[in-house]
């Protein structure tokens, strides 16, 4: 009998409580959404498994001991993984549409307006100023930037904000179209833009070099993200290091995605995740996303007031990053108004500019708050 | 000035300053790249 009592004591059943079961349900819902619905499966699946693991009674997140704690500590707390993800994104990104139409850089800036709207919303709901900055950056729809900022300002918010950011990125086709239609007329959605010129190889090589110099000089706190982003892009555009470029795009990206996803999931134990504040984060995240979309479109309208060459205001909505989903949504909404209006490449300009804009906004938060 | 307001003003202005500078630099670098390529083409022909 004593043997069985000892065996029972060595097992983990006694340490379970209702919160663990709720978190299992959440983890399994994420697994379902990733596998069955295809919602950002590359990240949602590892995050879901991390949630499941951390909500099983074990020492897996025990500081200085647990495996996932080590992934989290060296990967995210040291802010190593998000810049590595940016290296991969840079190696995947074609800046041709931005170089061909540099005005679209402003749209990438305009869409960051939602970040600051939400920042004040979070402050009004009682979050600390550091937490409010991390919640606000969800509006940039950029997972790695959200995680990077959280690691620096509010590590306790990392898991929740990362899940919110990736969830809303997956929901771009649901959230954005109603806002886009509300803020534009049919005639505005039909505006056709001049075809983009061909961009030469040398222009594409100059771009990452100039970008990293300008951004690092103005916002030194964005150097880690933008440095890696521009380096990745230079690997791609140089044309002489194809192996490095492909590694950054594929193997390295996949490896860091695994570590990022599972350790972000592991930051969500029941005692942290099951609090009323989480609902506030998700509500504010959707506000951030909607406000960023609206700000992007608003700036496009404003630019049309002062410009001879009109831009289709829908492309402003693509300034929220979420590459290339947001650009595809712009194209789809535009083609509903005019089937022959091909907006995809025009929307890619603000879309990739949005990635830069969000990283700069994060750098600005860091420079003021850290 | 309260910290939230400082964050807002410096953040928004910082993002727009970066993007405006970048826009100007991209235009300039494009002109330089195109000029260099034309020069190279001339030399080759």
């Amino acid at each position: 009998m004593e043997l069985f009592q000892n065996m029972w004591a060595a097992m983990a059943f006694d340490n379970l409580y209702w919160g663990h079961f709720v978190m299992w349900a959440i983890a399994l819902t994420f697994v379902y959404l990733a596998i069955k619905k295809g919602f950002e499966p590359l990240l949602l699946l590892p995050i879901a498994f991390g949630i499941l693991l951390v909500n099983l009674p074990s020492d897996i997140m025990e500081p200085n001991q647990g495996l996932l704690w080590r992934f989290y500590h060296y990967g995210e707390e040291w802010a190593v993984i998000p810049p590595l993800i940016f290296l991969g994104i840079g190696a995947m990104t074609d800046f041709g549409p931005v170089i061909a139409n540099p005005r679209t850089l402003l749209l990438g800036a305009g869409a960051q307006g939602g970040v600051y709207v939400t920042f004040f919303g979070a402050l009004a709901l009682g979050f600390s100023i550091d937490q409010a900055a991390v919640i606000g950056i969800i509006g940039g729809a950029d997972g790695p930037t959200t995680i990077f900022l959280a690691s620096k300002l509010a590590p306790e918010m990392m898991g929740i904000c990362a899940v919110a950011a990736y969830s809303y990125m997956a929901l771009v086709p649901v959230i954005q179209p109603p806002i886009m239609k509300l803020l534009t007329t049919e005639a505005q959605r039909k505006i056709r833009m001049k075809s983009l010129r061909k961009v030469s190889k040398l222009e594409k090589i100059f771009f990452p070099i100039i970008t990293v110099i300008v951004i690092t000089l103005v916002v030194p706190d964005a150097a880690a993200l933008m440095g890696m982003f521009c380096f990745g892009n230079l690997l791609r555009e140089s044309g002489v290091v194809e192996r490095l470029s492909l590694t950054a795009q594929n193997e390295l990206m996949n490896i860091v995605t695994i570590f990022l996803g599972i350790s972000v999931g592991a930051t969500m134990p029941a005692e942290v995740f099951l609090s009323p504040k989480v609902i506030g984060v998700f509500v504010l995240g959707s506000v951030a996303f909607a406000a960023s979309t609206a700000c992007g479109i608003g700036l496009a309208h404003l630019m049309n007031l002062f410009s001879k060459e009109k831009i289709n205001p829908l492309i402003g909505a693509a300034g929220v990053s979420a590459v290339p989903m947001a650009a595809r949504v712009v194209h789809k909404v535009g083609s509903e108004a005019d089937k022959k209006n091909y907006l995809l490449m025009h929307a890619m300009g603000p879309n990739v500019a949005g990635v830069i804009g969000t990283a700069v906004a994060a750098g600005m938060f860091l420079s003021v708050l850290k | 000035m309260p910290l939230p307001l400082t964050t807002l003003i410096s953040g928004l202005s910082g993002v727009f300053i970066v993007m405006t500078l970048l826009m100007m630099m991209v235009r300039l670098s494009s002109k330089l790249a195109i000029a260099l390529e034309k020069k190279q083409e001339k030399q080759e022909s």
Side-chain angles (χ1 to χ4, degrees):
Chain A
M1 192 62 192
E2 198 182 326
L3 175 72
F4 284 113
Q5 279 177 339
N6 288 342
M7 274 177 69
W8 178 259
M11 291 178 188
F13 292 102
D14 273 351
N15 297 326
L16 285 174
Y17 82 111
W18 65 269
H20 289 134
F21 297 109
V22 175
M23 294 309 292
W24 294 359
I26 290 171
L28 293 176
T29 306
F30 286 169
V31 169
Y32 171 79
L33 290 173
I35 296 173
K36 197 74 182 171
K37 300 286 179 186
F39 278 13
E40 297 283 336
L42 287 175
L43 268 149
L44 207 51
L45 203 58
I47 287 175
F49 207 76
I51 295 173
L52 185 65
L53 277 176
V54 80
N55 286 290
L56 292 167
S58 75
D59 65 351
I60 206 152
M61 272 299 271
E62 195 68 35
N64 300 312
Q65 274 186 354
L67 175 71
L68 291 190
W69 182 84
R70 288 179 203 277
F71 290 173
Y72 166 74
H73 180 65
Y74 296 112
E76 277 112 69
E77 275 193 332
W78 281 19
V80 171
I81 289 181
L84 286 178
I85 297 258
F86 258 60
L87 177 76
I89 296 172
M92 288 179 188
T93 305
D94 176 10
F95 280 106
V98 172
I99 301 168
N101 187 4
R103 277 195 306 168
T104 56
L105 282 163
L106 293 177
L107 295 173
Q112 307 312 315
V115 169
Y116 295 96
V117 170
T118 315
F119 170 67
F120 279 96
L123 286 176
L125 282 186
F127 288 94
S128 72
I129 194 162
D130 288 352
Q131 291 174 334
V134 178
I135 294 168
I137 213 78
I138 295 172
D142 196 324
T145 305
T146 306
I147 293 165
F148 180 78
L149 191 64
S151 72
K152 302 269 185 186
L153 291 181
E156 72 282 2
M157 303 293 289
M158 185 188 293
I160 300 157
C161 290
V163 169
Y166 284 113
S167 304
Y168 290 124
M169 280 162 71
L171 291 174
V172 164
V174 180
I175 297 172
Q176 283 200 313
I179 301 166
M180 292 156 88
K181 286 175 186 168
L182 189 70
L183 297 177
T184 53
T185 63
E186 175 105 3
Q188 287 168 336
R189 291 197 289 276
K190 283 181 177 172
I191 292 176
R192 288 194 183 182
M193 294 173 67
K194 207 170 78 177
S195 295
L196 294 174
R197 69 176 175 84
K198 197 173 175 293
V199 173
S200 74
K201 185 182 169 184
L202 195 56
E203 284 176 273
K204 287 186 176 180
I205 290 174
F206 280 175
F207 184 83
I209 298 168
I210 284 165
T211 302
V212 76
I213 292 172
V214 169
I215 293 177
T216 308
L217 287 177
V218 182
V219 193
D221 287 300
L225 288 178
M226 289 316 300
M228 288 295 103
F229 188 62
C230 292
F231 176 47
N233 191 250
L234 185 62
L235 292 179
R236 171 198 172 94
E237 300 301 349
S238 67
V240 292
V241 284
E242 196 184 4
R243 276 168 48 195
L244 298 187
S245 172
L246 290 176
T247 301
Q249 289 177 43
N250 300 300
E251 292 86 353
L252 182 63
M253 188 78 160
N254 293 339
I255 290 166
V256 292
T257 299
I258 290 171
F259 287 113
L260 178 81
I262 199 161
S263 50
V264 161
T267 60
M268 285 186 277
E271 50 273 25
V272 171
F273 196 81
L274 298 178
S275 75
K277 279 196 166 183
V278 171
I279 299 168
V281 171
F282 274 87
V283 171
L284 286 166
S286 65
V287 170
F289 210 76
S292 292
T293 304
C295 288
I297 295 171
L299 185 69
H301 283 307
L302 191 68
M303 284 166 71
N304 275 345
L305 290 179
F306 300 100
S307 156
K308 279 182 191 169
E309 209 176 287
K310 301 290 179 208
I311 54 174
N312 189 313
L314 288 176
I315 70 167
V320 296
S321 318
V323 183
M325 184 85 85
R328 284 190 193 142
V329 170
V330 166
H331 175 69
K332 188 171 172 288
V333 175
S335 60
E336 281 170 12
D338 175 3
K339 279 183 183 172
K340 290 182 180 173
N341 199 359
Y342 201 79
L343 287 174
L344 185 64
M345 288 316 287
H346 296 291
M348 282 307 291
N351 209 187
V352 294
V355 179
I356 299 173
T358 309
V360 172
M364 291 307 302
F365 273 132
L366 279 177
S367 65
V368 177
L369 299 177
K370 81 171 180 187
Chain B
M1 194 186 287
L3 188 57
L5 205 56
T6 310
T7 311
L8 170 75
I9 293 169
S10 59
L12 267 184
S13 55
V15 172
F16 275 97
I17 288 169
V18 166
M19 292 309 203
T20 308
L21 270 175
L22 204 53
M23 187 175 72
M24 293 190 302
M25 294 304 289
V26 168
R27 286 198 169 131
L28 278 175
S29 71
S30 283
K31 282 181 182 163
L32 177 66
I34 291 165
L36 285 172
E37 280 169 338
K38 274 185 184 167
K39 194 178 170 189
Q40 199 176 1
E41 272 173 27
K42 270 184 190 173
Q43 280 174 344
E44 282 170 5
S45 61

